[in-house]
Amino acid sequence: MKTSDFYFELPPEQIAQDPLEDRSSSRLLVLDKTTGEYEHRVFRDITGYLRPGDCLVLNNTKVIPARLFGVREGTGAQIEILLLKRQENDIWETLVKPGKKARPGTKISFGDGLLTGEVLDIVEDGNRLIRFSYEGIFEEILDQLGQMPLPPYITHKLKDKNRYQTVYAKYDGSAAAPTAGLHFTPELLREVQEQGVEIAEVTLHVGLGTFRPVKVENVLEHHMHSEYYEITAEAAQKINRTKENGGRVICVGTTSCRTIESAADEQGHIRPCSGWTDIFIYPGYRFKVLDCLITNFHLPESTLLMLVSALAGKEHILAAYEEAVRQGYRFFSFGDAMFITDGKI
């Protein structure tokens, strides 16, 4: 299986640069994963495709303002840090630009010394381990100094930090938003519940691996970065009950999908658990729990495009993506949505 098998042409002007004023007014392409048939809708129409007894799985992670701009002590040179993963206490794995000058022992000052960091080590992919020093509460300082870590394909400045958060975000820890959830409003979620659809919340803290391109031609040689996840007893119970009663488990986003597939046993039973997952889902994968998926439109040759191709088939997905390009859909984080369903559209 080649990475180039997942390529499609995307005009740069179709990469969404700004969120829509009304979250639920994005366009929605509904795709039958069995036949490849599709329909064009608006996102709030999603309620017409949900059934009583279904379970909607949400990822309640919260994006931290993980991008920091500082200066190297001694030289005053500008330096940019992206927090990737908290290792312990105040030691973080980070991505540093420019990285060449950030050798072990390098000290960096942020916000005129409100926060300082020292490079401890160089780890996998050239990432740096940095120990931070400060007075007070780290999260409050980060909120004051940090910026939202928007993906590199978004060049516009975000006016409102909250637009890169889902309305149900709860637990700090992500370097990127679970973007499929950005389309939901509190009102729409209420409407979904009133239909008799269960809502189960899981947590997966999204890392930078989401944006990393696949650099190998053989898909099987790609290495996924690990991300931390948690599934509570309540969420596991809701998901298991849905399957037992013949309902559908519908994940909102690839991160929710990867969470429940990581936690499931071979019989598709979920247990309460937490840990790290580097699950890589590509065509040929047999889904143990997931039935349907709400997701955004992904980058060419990306692991996320491979995941949706595993669910609906590469031919169906690429045909739907070509149609989305023809119809002027908006792509990626602030773009439009797709509902990959199990027929009856």
PDB file of all heavy atoms in Angstrom, residues 249-265:
ATOM      1  N   VAL A 249     -22.582   2.920  17.241  1.00  0.00           N
ATOM      2  CA  VAL A 249     -21.601   3.787  17.893  1.00  0.00           C
ATOM      3  C   VAL A 249     -21.044   4.724  16.823  1.00  0.00           C
ATOM      4  O   VAL A 249     -20.438   4.282  15.843  1.00  0.00           O
ATOM      5  CB  VAL A 249     -20.476   2.967  18.554  1.00  0.00           C
ATOM      6  CG1 VAL A 249     -19.372   3.883  19.064  1.00  0.00           C
ATOM      7  CG2 VAL A 249     -21.049   2.144  19.697  1.00  0.00           C
ATOM      8  N   ILE A 250     -21.288   6.020  17.020  1.00  0.00           N
ATOM      9  CA  ILE A 250     -20.911   7.045  16.033  1.00  0.00           C
ATOM     10  C   ILE A 250     -19.877   7.953  16.677  1.00  0.00           C
ATOM     11  O   ILE A 250     -20.177   8.680  17.641  1.00  0.00           O
ATOM     12  CB  ILE A 250     -22.148   7.861  15.601  1.00  0.00           C
ATOM     13  CG1 ILE A 250     -23.207   6.922  14.996  1.00  0.00           C
ATOM     14  CG2 ILE A 250     -21.753   8.958  14.614  1.00  0.00           C
ATOM     15  CD1 ILE A 250     -24.570   7.563  14.817  1.00  0.00           C
ATOM     16  N   CYS A 251     -18.662   7.906  16.180  1.00  0.00           N
ATOM     17  CA  CYS A 251     -17.608   8.742  16.746  1.00  0.00           C
ATOM     18  C   CYS A 251     -17.603  10.109  16.091  1.00  0.00           C
ATOM     19  O   CYS A 251     -17.757  10.224  14.872  1.00  0.00           O
ATOM     20  CB  CYS A 251     -16.243   8.083  16.552  1.00  0.00           C
ATOM     21  SG  CYS A 251     -15.963   6.727  17.700  1.00  0.00           S
ATOM     22  N   VAL A 252     -17.412  11.124  16.915  1.00  0.00           N
ATOM     23  CA  VAL A 252     -17.216  12.480  16.410  1.00  0.00           C
ATOM     24  C   VAL A 252     -15.708  12.690  16.327  1.00  0.00           C
ATOM     25  O   VAL A 252     -15.044  12.933  17.326  1.00  0.00           O
ATOM     26  CB  VAL A 252     -17.882  13.526  17.321  1.00  0.00           C
ATOM     27  CG1 VAL A 252     -17.607  14.930  16.799  1.00  0.00           C
ATOM     28  CG2 VAL A 252     -19.383  13.277  17.396  1.00  0.00           C
ATOM     29  N   GLY A 253     -15.170  12.502  15.133  1.00  0.00           N
ATOM     30  CA  GLY A 253     -13.751  12.728  14.915  1.00  0.00           C
ATOM     31  C   GLY A 253     -12.910  11.467  14.974  1.00  0.00           C
ATOM     32  O   GLY A 253     -13.246  10.485  15.638  1.00  0.00           O
ATOM     33  N   THR A 254     -11.775  11.540  14.282  1.00  0.00           N
ATOM     34  CA  THR A 254     -10.848  10.409  14.237  1.00  0.00           C
ATOM     35  C   THR A 254     -10.206  10.145  15.593  1.00  0.00           C
ATOM     36  O   THR A 254      -9.812   9.013  15.883  1.00  0.00           O
ATOM     37  CB  THR A 254      -9.758  10.670  13.184  1.00  0.00           C
ATOM     38  OG1 THR A 254      -9.111  11.906  13.475  1.00  0.00           O
ATOM     39  CG2 THR A 254     -10.351  10.730  11.782  1.00  0.00           C
ATOM     40  N   THR A 255     -10.107  11.176  16.442  1.00  0.00           N
ATOM     41  CA  THR A 255      -9.488  10.965  17.762  1.00  0.00           C
ATOM     42  C   THR A 255     -10.387  10.112  18.653  1.00  0.00           C
ATOM     43  O   THR A 255      -9.907   9.226  19.371  1.00  0.00           O
ATOM     44  CB  THR A 255      -9.158  12.308  18.468  1.00  0.00           C
ATOM     45  OG1 THR A 255     -10.367  13.044  18.683  1.00  0.00           O
ATOM     46  CG2 THR A 255      -8.190  13.127  17.638  1.00  0.00           C
ATOM     47  N   SER A 256     -11.705  10.356  18.601  1.00  0.00           N
ATOM     48  CA  SER A 256     -12.646   9.509  19.357  1.00  0.00           C
ATOM     49  C   SER A 256     -12.602   8.078  18.831  1.00  0.00           C
ATOM     50  O   SER A 256     -12.633   7.112  19.609  1.00  0.00           O
ATOM     51  CB  SER A 256     -14.072  10.058  19.240  1.00  0.00           C
ATOM     52  OG  SER A 256     -14.159  11.369  19.725  1.00  0.00           O
ATOM     53  N   CYS A 257     -12.535   7.954  17.517  1.00  0.00           N
ATOM     54  CA  CYS A 257     -12.448   6.639  16.884  1.00  0.00           C
ATOM     55  C   CYS A 257     -11.212   5.896  17.364  1.00  0.00           C
ATOM     56  O   CYS A 257     -11.283   4.730  17.785  1.00  0.00           O
ATOM     57  CB  CYS A 257     -12.421   6.807  15.370  1.00  0.00           C
ATOM     58  SG  CYS A 257     -11.868   5.349  14.462  1.00  0.00           S
ATOM     59  N   ARG A 258     -10.055   6.546  17.332  1.00  0.00           N
ATOM     60  CA  ARG A 258      -8.811   5.891  17.713  1.00  0.00           C
ATOM     61  C   ARG A 258      -8.821   5.520  19.204  1.00  0.00           C
ATOM     62  O   ARG A 258      -8.239   4.510  19.604  1.00  0.00           O
ATOM     63  CB  ARG A 258      -7.618   6.791  17.390  1.00  0.00           C
ATOM     64  CG  ARG A 258      -7.414   6.966  15.880  1.00  0.00           C
ATOM     65  CD  ARG A 258      -6.293   7.925  15.541  1.00  0.00           C
ATOM     66  NE  ARG A 258      -5.016   7.394  15.992  1.00  0.00           N
ATOM     67  CZ  ARG A 258      -4.251   7.942  16.918  1.00  0.00           C
ATOM     68  NH1 ARG A 258      -4.633   9.073  17.503  1.00  0.00           N
ATOM     69  NH2 ARG A 258      -3.102   7.394  17.260  1.00  0.00           N
ATOM     70  N   THR A 259      -9.509   6.326  20.008  1.00  0.00           N
ATOM     71  CA  THR A 259      -9.598   6.051  21.443  1.00  0.00           C
ATOM     72  C   THR A 259     -10.359   4.759  21.714  1.00  0.00           C
ATOM     73  O   THR A 259      -9.871   3.866  22.413  1.00  0.00           O
ATOM     74  CB  THR A 259     -10.270   7.221  22.183  1.00  0.00           C
ATOM     75  OG1 THR A 259      -9.543   8.416  21.937  1.00  0.00           O
ATOM     76  CG2 THR A 259     -10.329   6.963  23.679  1.00  0.00           C
ATOM     77  N   ILE A 260     -11.565   4.650  21.162  1.00  0.00           N
ATOM     78  CA  ILE A 260     -12.373   3.463  21.489  1.00  0.00           C
ATOM     79  C   ILE A 260     -11.816   2.215  20.816  1.00  0.00           C
ATOM     80  O   ILE A 260     -11.898   1.123  21.384  1.00  0.00           O
ATOM     81  CB  ILE A 260     -13.868   3.661  21.161  1.00  0.00           C
ATOM     82  CG1 ILE A 260     -14.111   3.831  19.659  1.00  0.00           C
ATOM     83  CG2 ILE A 260     -14.446   4.839  21.940  1.00  0.00           C
ATOM     84  CD1 ILE A 260     -15.588   3.764  19.279  1.00  0.00           C
ATOM     85  N   GLU A 261     -11.225   2.357  19.634  1.00  0.00           N
ATOM     86  CA  GLU A 261     -10.639   1.184  18.979  1.00  0.00           C
ATOM     87  C   GLU A 261      -9.397   0.707  19.734  1.00  0.00           C
ATOM     88  O   GLU A 261      -9.092  -0.490  19.771  1.00  0.00           O
ATOM     89  CB  GLU A 261     -10.314   1.496  17.523  1.00  0.00           C
ATOM     90  CG  GLU A 261     -11.538   1.672  16.627  1.00  0.00           C
ATOM     91  CD  GLU A 261     -12.365   0.399  16.473  1.00  0.00           C
ATOM     92  OE1 GLU A 261     -11.764  -0.689  16.291  1.00  0.00           O
ATOM     93  OE2 GLU A 261     -13.609   0.476  16.555  1.00  0.00           O
ATOM     94  N   SER A 262      -8.680   1.626  20.371  1.00  0.00           N
ATOM     95  CA  SER A 262      -7.511   1.260  21.178  1.00  0.00           C
ATOM     96  C   SER A 262      -7.919   0.508  22.433  1.00  0.00           C
ATOM     97  O   SER A 262      -7.202  -0.384  22.907  1.00  0.00           O
ATOM     98  CB  SER A 262      -6.721   2.510  21.584  1.00  0.00           C
ATOM     99  OG  SER A 262      -6.189   3.166  20.458  1.00  0.00           O
ATOM    100  N   ALA A 263      -9.065   0.880  22.986  1.00  0.00           N
ATOM    101  CA  ALA A 263      -9.488   0.333  24.278  1.00  0.00           C
ATOM    102  C   ALA A 263     -10.294  -0.952  24.164  1.00  0.00           C
ATOM    103  O   ALA A 263     -10.487  -1.659  25.157  1.00  0.00           O
ATOM    104  CB  ALA A 263     -10.313   1.376  25.027  1.00  0.00           C
ATOM    105  N   ALA A 264     -10.772  -1.277  22.960  1.00  0.00           N
ATOM    106  CA  ALA A 264     -11.672  -2.424  22.795  1.00  0.00           C
ATOM    107  C   ALA A 264     -10.913  -3.743  22.730  1.00  0.00           C
ATOM    108  O   ALA A 264      -9.798  -3.807  22.213  1.00  0.00           O
ATOM    109  CB  ALA A 264     -12.494  -2.246  21.526  1.00  0.00           C
ATOM    110  N   ASP A 265     -11.549  -4.803  23.255  1.00  0.00           N
ATOM    111  CA  ASP A 265     -10.980  -6.138  23.071  1.00  0.00           C
ATOM    112  C   ASP A 265     -11.460  -6.688  21.719  1.00  0.00           C
ATOM    113  O   ASP A 265     -12.184  -6.014  20.975  1.00  0.00           O
ATOM    114  CB  ASP A 265     -11.333  -7.061  24.238  1.00  0.00           C
ATOM    115  CG  ASP A 265     -12.836  -7.319  24.391  1.00  0.00           C
ATOM    116  OD1 ASP A 265     -13.585  -7.154  23.401  1.00  0.00           O
ATOM    117  OD2 ASP A 265     -13.265  -7.695  25.503  1.00  0.00           O
TER     118      ASP A 265
END
